[in-house]
Amino acid sequence: MNSILLFGIIIWIYMLSVLKRAKLTAFSFIIGSVGFFFILMAMSTPYWIWFFTHAVINGVAWLGDLTRMSQTYPKYGLVYIVNNLSPVTMQIDYECSGIIETMAYISLLAFYPTYSRKEKVFYLLLGMLWIYLSNVLRLLLVIIMVHFGGAGLFYIAHSILGRIVFYLLVITLYYNVFTYSRLSQGIYKIFKERIKRA
């Protein structure tokens, strides 16, 4: 941990303590979430980025193994999309790993004042799984479109349609978790009841 990050963490903790004593819950949520996001992102290099990248590649690999539409090279972070006329090699990197969206979600949830600790742990696990599967689905969409349509569809599939699908799914998660809707309360209650029955 470098000295700038350590100094930033100390300032952040001090600001949070001042806001808590002043009982400014909204400002505490904003400063806490934003600060925690930057701390998580600073500490994610390089190990968590590597982990997220490889998790996504391994999630996509099963489609290639099953259908022969793609080949994955986890060591290099590459997905080779098979097409007879114009194959494409897609690199899964920092932006494609879903780490930014996951860290943003964790940061918001950590300082969200409405949930109990048990509910936060439940929604943390649910949200991380949801974001991961949404990202894998986005990349599967890219693979399928490029496999059948060629390299000309890569930009549309990756930068437009794939992102629209991914962000719609992430927005759905955020809406259901952070609006404290009946659905989000219901998911946790259903989970709790099933655990009690088991």
Side-chain angles (χ1 to χ4, degrees):
M1 187 180 308
N2 65 32
S3 57
I4 296 171
L5 179 60
L6 186 60
F7 180 72
I9 291 171
I10 292 168
I11 296 293
W12 175 69
I13 290 171
Y14 175 73
M15 289 173 66
L16 280 176
S17 69
V18 169
L19 292 169
K20 289 242 183 209
R21 280 180 295 193
K23 296 182 180 173
L24 297 170
T25 310
F27 288 108
S28 181
F29 170 70
I30 293 166
I31 297 296
S33 298
V34 171
F36 195 47
F37 172 75
F38 283 113
I39 291 166
L40 287 175
M41 290 307 295
M43 296 175 83
S44 67
T45 305
Y47 303 109
W48 282 108
I49 293 170
W50 177 89
F51 175 78
F52 274 72
T53 301
H54 283 73
V56 169
I57 288 174
N58 289 322
V60 167
W62 69 270
L63 180 71
D65 294 341
L66 185 67
T67 63
R68 306 279 186 233
M69 288 185 190
S70 64
Q71 298 170 354
T72 55
Y73 301 94
K75 184 177 178 182
Y76 305 106
L78 297 175
V79 177
Y80 176 77
I81 305 171
V82 178
N83 181 287
N84 292 335
L85 300 175
S86 53
V88 172
T89 301
M90 176 173 61
Q91 183 174 11
I92 308 296
D93 59 3
Y94 178 77
E95 290 181 16
C96 289
S97 68
I99 194 167
I100 296 170
E101 294 80 6
T102 305
M103 295 303 166
Y105 177 78
I106 291 169
S107 301
L108 289 169
L109 187 61
F111 288 89
Y112 196 66
T114 309
Y115 293 126
S116 68
R117 286 187 180 158
K118 286 182 181 178
E119 288 174 317
K120 284 184 181 183
V121 169
F122 172 78
Y123 287 117
L124 173 75
L125 297 174
L126 177 73
M128 288 177 67
L129 180 64
W130 183 275
I131 293 170
Y132 169 74
L133 292 175
S134 299
N135 199 21
V136 168
L137 181 66
R138 172 181 76 93
L139 294 173
L140 292 176
L141 176 67
V142 173
I143 291 169
I144 291 167
M145 286 182 69
V146 171
H147 175 74
F148 289 111
L153 287 180
F154 180 74
Y155 177 77
I156 293 169
H158 183 268
S159 299
I160 299 172
L161 290 177
R163 287 189 182 182
I164 288 171
V165 167
F166 178 69
Y167 285 116
L168 282 175
L169 290 169
V170 170
I171 288 168
T172 302
L173 170 71
Y174 275 52
Y175 175 77
N176 284 304
V177 171
F178 295 119
T179 59
Y180 203 61
S181 69
R182 292 189 182 271
L183 177 62
S184 65
Q185 290 177 354
I187 293 170
Y188 181 70
K189 285 179 183 175
I190 290 168
F191 175 76
K192 215 161 81 172
E193 288 171 8
R194 289 193 180 171
I195 293 294
K196 284 180 183 176
R197 286 184 206 155

PDB file of all heavy atoms in Angstrom, residues 1-2 4 8 11 24 29 33 37 69 78-79 86 95 110 135 139 141 152 154 163 175 193 195-196:
ATOM      1  N   MET A   1       0.859  -1.174   0.000  1.00  0.00           N
ATOM      2  CA  MET A   1       0.000   0.000   0.000  1.00  0.00           C
ATOM      3  C   MET A   1       0.903   1.234   0.000  1.00  0.00           C
ATOM      4  O   MET A   1       1.765   1.385   0.863  1.00  0.00           O
ATOM      5  CB  MET A   1      -0.901  -0.019   1.240  1.00  0.00           C
ATOM      6  CG  MET A   1      -1.931   1.074   1.219  1.00  0.00           C
ATOM      7  SD  MET A   1      -3.039   1.124   2.650  1.00  0.00           S
ATOM      8  CE  MET A   1      -3.675  -0.514   2.768  1.00  0.00           C
ATOM      9  N   ASN A   2       0.689   2.108  -0.977  1.00  0.00           N
ATOM     10  CA  ASN A   2       1.540   3.289  -1.037  1.00  0.00           C
ATOM     11  C   ASN A   2       1.057   4.378  -0.076  1.00  0.00           C
ATOM     12  O   ASN A   2      -0.055   4.332   0.446  1.00  0.00           O
ATOM     13  CB  ASN A   2       1.656   3.814  -2.474  1.00  0.00           C
ATOM     14  CG  ASN A   2       0.338   4.316  -3.025  1.00  0.00           C
ATOM     15  OD1 ASN A   2      -0.497   4.833  -2.293  1.00  0.00           O
ATOM     16  ND2 ASN A   2       0.153   4.171  -4.323  1.00  0.00           N
ATOM     17  N   ILE A   4       0.258   7.541  -0.543  1.00  0.00           N
ATOM     18  CA  ILE A   4      -0.862   8.382  -0.982  1.00  0.00           C
ATOM     19  C   ILE A   4      -2.191   7.693  -0.678  1.00  0.00           C
ATOM     20  O   ILE A   4      -3.122   8.317  -0.172  1.00  0.00           O
ATOM     21  CB  ILE A   4      -0.747   8.713  -2.488  1.00  0.00           C
ATOM     22  CG1 ILE A   4       0.494   9.549  -2.742  1.00  0.00           C
ATOM     23  CG2 ILE A   4      -1.994   9.429  -2.989  1.00  0.00           C
ATOM     24  CD1 ILE A   4       0.822   9.752  -4.196  1.00  0.00           C
ATOM     25  N   GLY A   8      -5.016   8.930   1.911  1.00  0.00           N
ATOM     26  CA  GLY A   8      -6.402   9.069   1.452  1.00  0.00           C
ATOM     27  C   GLY A   8      -7.377   8.299   2.331  1.00  0.00           C
ATOM     28  O   GLY A   8      -8.468   8.786   2.646  1.00  0.00           O
ATOM     29  N   ILE A  11      -7.852  10.225   5.652  1.00  0.00           N
ATOM     30  CA  ILE A  11      -8.737  11.386   5.439  1.00  0.00           C
ATOM     31  C   ILE A  11     -10.186  10.931   5.272  1.00  0.00           C
ATOM     32  O   ILE A  11     -11.116  11.517   5.839  1.00  0.00           O
ATOM     33  CB  ILE A  11      -8.287  12.207   4.205  1.00  0.00           C
ATOM     34  CG1 ILE A  11      -6.902  12.795   4.429  1.00  0.00           C
ATOM     35  CG2 ILE A  11      -9.293  13.286   3.838  1.00  0.00           C
ATOM     36  CD1 ILE A  11      -6.828  13.840   5.509  1.00  0.00           C
ATOM     37  N   LEU A  24     -25.353  13.169   9.427  1.00  0.00           N
ATOM     38  CA  LEU A  24     -25.660  13.518   8.033  1.00  0.00           C
ATOM     39  C   LEU A  24     -25.596  12.231   7.206  1.00  0.00           C
ATOM     40  O   LEU A  24     -24.599  11.926   6.553  1.00  0.00           O
ATOM     41  CB  LEU A  24     -24.675  14.566   7.517  1.00  0.00           C
ATOM     42  CG  LEU A  24     -24.719  15.917   8.244  1.00  0.00           C
ATOM     43  CD1 LEU A  24     -23.558  16.788   7.817  1.00  0.00           C
ATOM     44  CD2 LEU A  24     -26.044  16.610   7.967  1.00  0.00           C
ATOM     45  N   PHE A  29     -23.354   8.444   3.284  1.00  0.00           N
ATOM     46  CA  PHE A  29     -23.526   7.431   2.236  1.00  0.00           C
ATOM     47  C   PHE A  29     -22.711   7.797   0.991  1.00  0.00           C
ATOM     48  O   PHE A  29     -22.004   6.958   0.435  1.00  0.00           O
ATOM     49  CB  PHE A  29     -25.007   7.293   1.881  1.00  0.00           C
ATOM     50  CG  PHE A  29     -25.275   6.466   0.666  1.00  0.00           C
ATOM     51  CD1 PHE A  29     -25.077   5.093   0.682  1.00  0.00           C
ATOM     52  CD2 PHE A  29     -25.706   7.055  -0.510  1.00  0.00           C
ATOM     53  CE1 PHE A  29     -25.313   4.321  -0.445  1.00  0.00           C
ATOM     54  CE2 PHE A  29     -25.946   6.297  -1.639  1.00  0.00           C
ATOM     55  CZ  PHE A  29     -25.748   4.928  -1.607  1.00  0.00           C
ATOM     56  N   SER A  33     -19.430   5.707   0.069  1.00  0.00           N
ATOM     57  CA  SER A  33     -19.484   4.894  -1.154  1.00  0.00           C
ATOM     58  C   SER A  33     -18.398   5.281  -2.142  1.00  0.00           C
ATOM     59  O   SER A  33     -17.698   4.417  -2.677  1.00  0.00           O
ATOM     60  CB  SER A  33     -20.851   5.042  -1.825  1.00  0.00           C
ATOM     61  OG  SER A  33     -21.861   4.587  -0.987  1.00  0.00           O
ATOM     62  N   PHE A  37     -15.183   2.977  -3.059  1.00  0.00           N
ATOM     63  CA  PHE A  37     -14.992   2.555  -4.452  1.00  0.00           C
ATOM     64  C   PHE A  37     -13.546   2.803  -4.885  1.00  0.00           C
ATOM     65  O   PHE A  37     -12.893   1.919  -5.448  1.00  0.00           O
ATOM     66  CB  PHE A  37     -15.961   3.296  -5.374  1.00  0.00           C
ATOM     67  CG  PHE A  37     -15.695   3.062  -6.831  1.00  0.00           C
ATOM     68  CD1 PHE A  37     -16.044   1.867  -7.428  1.00  0.00           C
ATOM     69  CD2 PHE A  37     -15.079   4.030  -7.602  1.00  0.00           C
ATOM     70  CE1 PHE A  37     -15.787   1.633  -8.773  1.00  0.00           C
ATOM     71  CE2 PHE A  37     -14.816   3.818  -8.951  1.00  0.00           C
ATOM     72  CZ  PHE A  37     -15.176   2.610  -9.536  1.00  0.00           C
ATOM     73  N   MET A  69     -17.840 -22.565 -31.219  1.00  0.00           N
ATOM     74  CA  MET A  69     -17.935 -21.197 -31.747  1.00  0.00           C
ATOM     75  C   MET A  69     -16.714 -20.361 -31.374  1.00  0.00           C
ATOM     76  O   MET A  69     -16.415 -19.372 -32.023  1.00  0.00           O
ATOM     77  CB  MET A  69     -19.180 -20.483 -31.213  1.00  0.00           C
ATOM     78  CG  MET A  69     -20.467 -20.959 -31.787  1.00  0.00           C
ATOM     79  SD  MET A  69     -21.792 -19.905 -31.169  1.00  0.00           S
ATOM     80  CE  MET A  69     -23.203 -20.809 -31.715  1.00  0.00           C
ATOM     81  N   LEU A  78      -7.507 -14.178 -23.809  1.00  0.00           N
ATOM     82  CA  LEU A  78      -8.021 -14.073 -25.178  1.00  0.00           C
ATOM     83  C   LEU A  78      -9.171 -15.048 -25.433  1.00  0.00           C
ATOM     84  O   LEU A  78      -9.179 -16.162 -24.912  1.00  0.00           O
ATOM     85  CB  LEU A  78      -6.907 -14.358 -26.186  1.00  0.00           C
ATOM     86  CG  LEU A  78      -5.720 -13.397 -26.183  1.00  0.00           C
ATOM     87  CD1 LEU A  78      -4.653 -13.882 -27.140  1.00  0.00           C
ATOM     88  CD2 LEU A  78      -6.155 -11.988 -26.540  1.00  0.00           C
ATOM     89  N   VAL A  79     -10.091 -14.588 -26.268  1.00  0.00           N
ATOM     90  CA  VAL A  79     -11.167 -15.437 -26.777  1.00  0.00           C
ATOM     91  C   VAL A  79     -11.109 -15.332 -28.301  1.00  0.00           C
ATOM     92  O   VAL A  79     -11.261 -14.245 -28.862  1.00  0.00           O
ATOM     93  CB  VAL A  79     -12.549 -14.980 -26.268  1.00  0.00           C
ATOM     94  CG1 VAL A  79     -13.654 -15.835 -26.865  1.00  0.00           C
ATOM     95  CG2 VAL A  79     -12.616 -15.010 -24.754  1.00  0.00           C
ATOM     96  N   SER A  86     -14.112 -14.411 -41.464  1.00  0.00           N
ATOM     97  CA  SER A  86     -13.429 -13.347 -40.716  1.00  0.00           C
ATOM     98  C   SER A  86     -13.456 -13.605 -39.211  1.00  0.00           C
ATOM     99  O   SER A  86     -14.271 -13.027 -38.502  1.00  0.00           O
ATOM    100  CB  SER A  86     -14.060 -11.998 -41.042  1.00  0.00           C
ATOM    101  OG  SER A  86     -15.462 -12.047 -40.835  1.00  0.00           O
ATOM    102  N   GLU A  95     -11.553  -3.576 -18.552  1.00  0.00           N
ATOM    103  CA  GLU A  95     -12.901  -3.055 -18.791  1.00  0.00           C
ATOM    104  C   GLU A  95     -13.922  -4.171 -19.011  1.00  0.00           C
ATOM    105  O   GLU A  95     -15.080  -4.024 -18.638  1.00  0.00           O
ATOM    106  CB  GLU A  95     -12.898  -2.107 -19.987  1.00  0.00           C
ATOM    107  CG  GLU A  95     -12.181  -0.806 -19.699  1.00  0.00           C
ATOM    108  CD  GLU A  95     -12.194   0.136 -20.887  1.00  0.00           C
ATOM    109  OE1 GLU A  95     -13.004  -0.080 -21.811  1.00  0.00           O
ATOM    110  OE2 GLU A  95     -11.401   1.070 -20.885  1.00  0.00           O
ATOM    111  N   ALA A 110     -22.264  -1.337   0.753  1.00  0.00           N
ATOM    112  CA  ALA A 110     -21.596  -1.271   2.054  1.00  0.00           C
ATOM    113  C   ALA A 110     -22.089  -0.100   2.894  1.00  0.00           C
ATOM    114  O   ALA A 110     -22.167  -0.197   4.123  1.00  0.00           O
ATOM    115  CB  ALA A 110     -20.083  -1.171   1.855  1.00  0.00           C
ATOM    116  N   ASN A 135     -22.296 -10.225 -17.263  1.00  0.00           N
ATOM    117  CA  ASN A 135     -21.110  -9.989 -18.090  1.00  0.00           C
ATOM    118  C   ASN A 135     -20.822 -11.180 -18.990  1.00  0.00           C
ATOM    119  O   ASN A 135     -20.494 -11.023 -20.169  1.00  0.00           O
ATOM    120  CB  ASN A 135     -19.914  -9.684 -17.193  1.00  0.00           C
ATOM    121  CG  ASN A 135     -18.803  -8.988 -17.938  1.00  0.00           C
ATOM    122  OD1 ASN A 135     -19.018  -8.382 -18.982  1.00  0.00           O
ATOM    123  ND2 ASN A 135     -17.613  -9.070 -17.408  1.00  0.00           N
ATOM    124  N   LEU A 139     -20.825 -11.285 -23.179  1.00  0.00           N
ATOM    125  CA  LEU A 139     -19.750 -11.808 -24.025  1.00  0.00           C
ATOM    126  C   LEU A 139     -20.223 -12.985 -24.872  1.00  0.00           C
ATOM    127  O   LEU A 139     -19.771 -13.158 -26.012  1.00  0.00           O
ATOM    128  CB  LEU A 139     -18.552 -12.198 -23.161  1.00  0.00           C
ATOM    129  CG  LEU A 139     -17.877 -11.001 -22.483  1.00  0.00           C
ATOM    130  CD1 LEU A 139     -16.816 -11.466 -21.506  1.00  0.00           C
ATOM    131  CD2 LEU A 139     -17.287 -10.042 -23.504  1.00  0.00           C
ATOM    132  N   LEU A 141     -23.198 -13.199 -26.121  1.00  0.00           N
ATOM    133  CA  LEU A 141     -23.908 -12.527 -27.206  1.00  0.00           C
ATOM    134  C   LEU A 141     -22.928 -12.070 -28.285  1.00  0.00           C
ATOM    135  O   LEU A 141     -23.175 -12.249 -29.480  1.00  0.00           O
ATOM    136  CB  LEU A 141     -24.701 -11.338 -26.661  1.00  0.00           C
ATOM    137  CG  LEU A 141     -25.431 -10.475 -27.676  1.00  0.00           C
ATOM    138  CD1 LEU A 141     -26.577 -11.252 -28.327  1.00  0.00           C
ATOM    139  CD2 LEU A 141     -25.972  -9.211 -27.020  1.00  0.00           C
ATOM    140  N   GLY A 152     -17.460  -7.977 -39.102  1.00  0.00           N
ATOM    141  CA  GLY A 152     -18.173  -6.720 -39.301  1.00  0.00           C
ATOM    142  C   GLY A 152     -19.172  -6.411 -38.199  1.00  0.00           C
ATOM    143  O   GLY A 152     -19.501  -5.243 -37.964  1.00  0.00           O
ATOM    144  N   PHE A 154     -18.614  -7.184 -34.999  1.00  0.00           N
ATOM    145  CA  PHE A 154     -17.947  -7.154 -33.694  1.00  0.00           C
ATOM    146  C   PHE A 154     -18.194  -5.840 -32.953  1.00  0.00           C
ATOM    147  O   PHE A 154     -18.533  -5.849 -31.774  1.00  0.00           O
ATOM    148  CB  PHE A 154     -16.438  -7.382 -33.837  1.00  0.00           C
ATOM    149  CG  PHE A 154     -15.725  -7.356 -32.518  1.00  0.00           C
ATOM    150  CD1 PHE A 154     -15.831  -8.417 -31.633  1.00  0.00           C
ATOM    151  CD2 PHE A 154     -14.953  -6.253 -32.148  1.00  0.00           C
ATOM    152  CE1 PHE A 154     -15.195  -8.390 -30.400  1.00  0.00           C
ATOM    153  CE2 PHE A 154     -14.317  -6.222 -30.918  1.00  0.00           C
ATOM    154  CZ  PHE A 154     -14.431  -7.296 -30.050  1.00  0.00           C
ATOM    155  N   ARG A 163     -23.247  -4.099 -24.512  1.00  0.00           N
ATOM    156  CA  ARG A 163     -23.288  -3.151 -23.389  1.00  0.00           C
ATOM    157  C   ARG A 163     -24.716  -2.813 -22.986  1.00  0.00           C
ATOM    158  O   ARG A 163     -25.008  -2.648 -21.809  1.00  0.00           O
ATOM    159  CB  ARG A 163     -22.522  -1.886 -23.730  1.00  0.00           C
ATOM    160  CG  ARG A 163     -21.040  -2.119 -23.719  1.00  0.00           C
ATOM    161  CD  ARG A 163     -20.252  -0.879 -23.837  1.00  0.00           C
ATOM    162  NE  ARG A 163     -18.832  -1.228 -23.868  1.00  0.00           N
ATOM    163  CZ  ARG A 163     -17.874  -0.366 -23.926  1.00  0.00           C
ATOM    164  NH1 ARG A 163     -18.133   0.918 -23.955  1.00  0.00           N
ATOM    165  NH2 ARG A 163     -16.623  -0.761 -23.950  1.00  0.00           N
ATOM    166  N   TYR A 175     -31.886  -1.309  -9.312  1.00  0.00           N
ATOM    167  CA  TYR A 175     -33.248  -0.866  -9.012  1.00  0.00           C
ATOM    168  C   TYR A 175     -33.868  -1.721  -7.915  1.00  0.00           C
ATOM    169  O   TYR A 175     -34.455  -1.211  -6.973  1.00  0.00           O
ATOM    170  CB  TYR A 175     -34.111  -0.895 -10.277  1.00  0.00           C
ATOM    171  CG  TYR A 175     -35.555  -0.553 -10.001  1.00  0.00           C
ATOM    172  CD1 TYR A 175     -35.939   0.760  -9.793  1.00  0.00           C
ATOM    173  CD2 TYR A 175     -36.517  -1.556  -9.913  1.00  0.00           C
ATOM    174  CE1 TYR A 175     -37.262   1.078  -9.509  1.00  0.00           C
ATOM    175  CE2 TYR A 175     -37.834  -1.247  -9.636  1.00  0.00           C
ATOM    176  CZ  TYR A 175     -38.205   0.071  -9.439  1.00  0.00           C
ATOM    177  OH  TYR A 175     -39.498   0.375  -9.148  1.00  0.00           O
ATOM    178  N   GLU A 193     -36.561 -18.028   4.587  1.00  0.00           N
ATOM    179  CA  GLU A 193     -37.521 -19.079   4.875  1.00  0.00           C
ATOM    180  C   GLU A 193     -37.045 -20.437   4.392  1.00  0.00           C
ATOM    181  O   GLU A 193     -37.231 -21.455   5.058  1.00  0.00           O
ATOM    182  CB  GLU A 193     -38.881 -18.730   4.248  1.00  0.00           C
ATOM    183  CG  GLU A 193     -39.595 -17.604   4.968  1.00  0.00           C
ATOM    184  CD  GLU A 193     -40.831 -17.131   4.216  1.00  0.00           C
ATOM    185  OE1 GLU A 193     -41.217 -17.778   3.217  1.00  0.00           O
ATOM    186  OE2 GLU A 193     -41.405 -16.104   4.625  1.00  0.00           O
ATOM    187  N   ILE A 195     -33.918 -21.369   4.047  1.00  0.00           N
ATOM    188  CA  ILE A 195     -32.817 -21.792   4.918  1.00  0.00           C
ATOM    189  C   ILE A 195     -33.374 -22.396   6.208  1.00  0.00           C
ATOM    190  O   ILE A 195     -32.869 -23.407   6.702  1.00  0.00           O
ATOM    191  CB  ILE A 195     -31.885 -20.601   5.230  1.00  0.00           C
ATOM    192  CG1 ILE A 195     -31.146 -20.138   3.973  1.00  0.00           C
ATOM    193  CG2 ILE A 195     -30.882 -20.936   6.324  1.00  0.00           C
ATOM    194  CD1 ILE A 195     -30.174 -21.134   3.410  1.00  0.00           C
ATOM    195  N   LYS A 196     -34.434 -21.791   6.756  1.00  0.00           N
ATOM    196  CA  LYS A 196     -35.030 -22.308   7.992  1.00  0.00           C
ATOM    197  C   LYS A 196     -35.630 -23.698   7.786  1.00  0.00           C
ATOM    198  O   LYS A 196     -35.570 -24.549   8.661  1.00  0.00           O
ATOM    199  CB  LYS A 196     -36.120 -21.354   8.491  1.00  0.00           C
ATOM    200  CG  LYS A 196     -35.564 -20.116   9.143  1.00  0.00           C
ATOM    201  CD  LYS A 196     -36.681 -19.211   9.610  1.00  0.00           C
ATOM    202  CE  LYS A 196     -36.149 -17.929  10.211  1.00  0.00           C
ATOM    203  NZ  LYS A 196     -37.193 -17.001  10.591  1.00  0.00           N
TER     204      LYS A 196
END
